[in-house]
Amino acid sequence: MSVDSGSHRVIVVLRPTVSGLDESAARRMFDAVRAGTDADVRIAYLDVASPSLHEELDRAHTDDVGKVVLIPVAVPRDRYLLTWTSKAVANWRETRIDAELEVTLHESETLEGAVAGQVIDELGAAGKPITASPASYRSPAWSVIEQHDRHLLVCKGPRCMAYGAGPLHRAMSAAAKGTSSKVTGTGCLSPCNLGPLVIANPGGTWFGHVDAGDAEALVAGQENQLMDHVLDR
Ligand code: FES
């Protein structure tokens, strides 16, 4: 695909795995793409990690970019990544009505073939002996429940990330440092339209439409400051 670097920007859209994000691998791929093109290339994440697609589209708009080319990358193909990238753009357009930005989606038809070629090449390589100790599979640290008296689950699914869960999670993690509150990011909790969503335990109170400005009250359990955000179950 040729992309003229004029006012175009390329955003490679990724999804972290269930184990999180291998940032160094994402960075390696990003650097390799940038080395092969003059285009202005960025990375965005559909869910879990930042920057979200909304944040990168906002940045493109602020930077006066005329056209954004989105290239979702997953091997094997991730239908969810493709469909929800399109839906995220539709939501971005609906919520930024004054933003004029042409956005196109490119789907590589050859990624699996390229990766299959790499797998076949590996068959001829020597490989590395596996020297990991089985003890590393059952580290004592994984038997310890971190002491806490308040546990906050922050949804980092695709819709909540689009609505600001990235800054919210960062602000809550910062507010929880040195306290007895524990903050854990989760995948989609399902009532996405009410996001960003937080569940506070004990009590199991659900909070909706919260943002980074609510972080301290959420962490400290100042629920009297959050009454407008408490959701009926
Ligand atoms: S993405 Fe948060 S509830 Fe679905």
Side-chain angles (χ1 to χ4, degrees):
M1 179 191 64
S2 88
V3 173
D4 120 37
S5 53
S7 66
H8 288 47
R9 177 168 293 173
V10 176
I11 302 178
V12 177
V13 189
L14 304 176
R15 294 192 78 195
T17 70
V18 286
S19 305
L21 172 65
D22 186 336
E23 284 184 40
S24 58
R27 172 59 53 181
R28 271 200 306 281
M29 188 189 73
F30 176 67
D31 290 344
V33 172
R34 288 188 84 174
T37 175
D38 292 334
D40 176 6
V41 184
R42 310 289 171 105
I43 280 186
Y45 298 96
L46 182 67
D47 52 9
V48 178
S50 295
S52 67
L53 188 50
H54 278 59
E55 286 170 318
E56 273 306 324
L57 291 174
D58 282 342
R59 201 179 334 267
H61 174 56
T62 304
D63 293 348
D64 236 359
V65 169
K67 177 175 176 177
V68 163
V69 172
L70 297 179
I71 308 182
V73 173
V75 179
R77 181 179 187 268
D78 179 346
R79 198 159 44 116
Y80 186 94
L81 173 64
L82 291 163
T83 56
W84 280 100
T85 294
S86 298
K87 291 176 186 181
V89 173
N91 174 269
W92 184 84
R93 285 185 175 135
E94 183 182 54
T95 51
R96 277 72 164 171
I97 47 173
D98 295 330
E100 285 188 20
L101 184 63
E102 185 185 346
V103 183
T104 56
L105 183 71
H106 293 245
E107 184 187 355
S108 169
E109 305 282 339
T110 56
L111 266 181
E112 282 89 354
V115 172
Q118 290 290 317
V119 171
I120 291 165
D121 285 352
E122 281 304 318
L123 299 179
K128 293 182 194 155
I130 295 173
T131 56
S133 156
S136 63
Y137 210 74
R138 44 183 162 72
S139 161
W142 296 329
S143 303
V144 175
I145 298 174
E146 203 181 316
Q147 284 305 307
H148 62 280
D149 55 26
R150 185 168 172 77
H151 192 190
L152 298 130
L153 305 176
V154 185
C155 179
K156 296 184 79 182
R159 270 74 65 199
C160 285
M161 286 299 283
Y163 304 147
L168 170 67
H169 185 246
R170 285 194 292 278
M172 288 177 64
S173 299
K177 281 217 169 76
T179 73
S180 58
S181 291
K182 179 175 168 59
V183 176
T184 304
T186 74
C188 176
L189 294 168
S190 91
C192 314
N193 294 341
L194 309 176
L197 278 170
V198 170
I199 302 174
N201 283 306
T205 308
W206 287 59
F207 297 95
H209 303 303
V210 280
D211 63 28
D214 300 310
E216 290 199 5
L218 283 163
V219 168
Q222 294 160 340
E223 299 195 357
N224 57 327
Q225 293 184 31
L226 298 162
M227 295 316 286
D228 291 347
H229 297 286
V230 175
L231 301 174
D232 289 333
R233 284 191 281 153

